[in-house]
Amino acid sequence: MVQVSDDQVVEAVLRASRVLVAVAARSLAAVEHDVTLPQYRALVVLASRGPVRPSELAEALAVHPSTVTRLCDRLAAKRLVHRGESPANRREVSIRLTPKGRRLVDAVTARRRTEIASIVANIPARERTATVHALHELGEAADEPADTAWFTSDTTRSGDPNGDT
């Protein structure tokens, strides 16, 4: 088997990331909400992990806590997240998706899935097993949960008095 260099792997991942970022941008632009990619990433983290403290969200996004505060202010104004008491400790703040936020994540994910499926259809069948393995390894290396591991509790019981159902 031919050995590939780290640089070759990096180049391949960069190329794939350009494809996926373009798909993500088009999918996000197609929804009716004015949400930036960083805001959408926060929504995805909340969808995958469930309610979190602001410091946990900042860590997951690799940003400063003050950045998360501003980001969540904007998402709360759009009624996509709710900030409230943590169920574990009433003195802590917890951030969670609202039903409207969950619907946005689901809609963008569905659009991305459709576009990615059309791209995958162009991958030769003999290369698909290796592609699946490589992409799963990339996700594991980045500590990104699989879609099947996403938080699935009923977000309609968010406790948000202004929850948009």
Side-chain angles (χ1 to χ4, degrees):
M1 178 174 269
V2 177
Q3 195 73 350
V4 296
S5 71
D6 287 353
D7 285 343
Q8 289 172 305
V9 174
V10 169
E11 283 301 315
V13 171
L14 283 171
R15 183 177 184 198
S17 74
R18 286 192 305 270
V19 170
L20 296 174
V21 166
V23 168
R26 284 190 299 270
S27 299
L28 189 55
V31 298
E32 296 178 18
H33 302 282
D34 180 30
V35 175
T36 65
L37 280 171
Q39 289 170 348
Y40 179 71
R41 179 68 184 145
L43 297 174
V44 168
V45 168
L46 293 170
S48 67
R49 299 183 184 188
V52 296
R53 295 188 327 261
S55 61
E56 294 169 328
L57 183 57
E59 183 179 330
L61 297 173
V63 298
H64 193 273
S66 65
T67 300
V68 164
T69 299
R70 290 188 302 276
L71 186 140
C72 288
D73 286 346
R74 291 181 183 106
L75 291 173
K78 296 173 187 183
R79 299 173 71 147
L80 298 172
V81 301
H82 174 71
R83 257 187 298 222
E85 291 178 351
S86 169
N89 182 343
R90 295 176 62 179
R91 289 179 282 167
E92 290 182 348
V93 172
S94 177
I95 302 167
R96 64 181 170 272
L97 282 181
T98 62
K100 182 178 178 182
R102 171 53 87 172
R103 286 192 303 274
L104 180 119
V105 170
D106 290 346
V108 172
T109 300
R111 288 182 180 277
R112 287 174 65 191
R113 184 176 295 278
T114 298
E115 189 168 346
I116 289 170
S118 69
I119 293 168
V120 167
N122 294 321
I123 297 174
R126 69 183 178 280
E127 299 294 332
R128 290 184 182 196
T129 299
T131 301
V132 168
H133 178 74
L135 292 173
H136 279 301
E137 288 296 320
L138 180 66
E140 288 293 320
D143 199 28
E144 182 68 25
D147 282 3
T148 56
W150 279 23
F151 182 69
T152 58
S153 80
D154 182 4
T155 56
T156 61
R157 290 182 285 140
S158 68
D160 180 0
N162 301 313
D164 183 3
T165 57

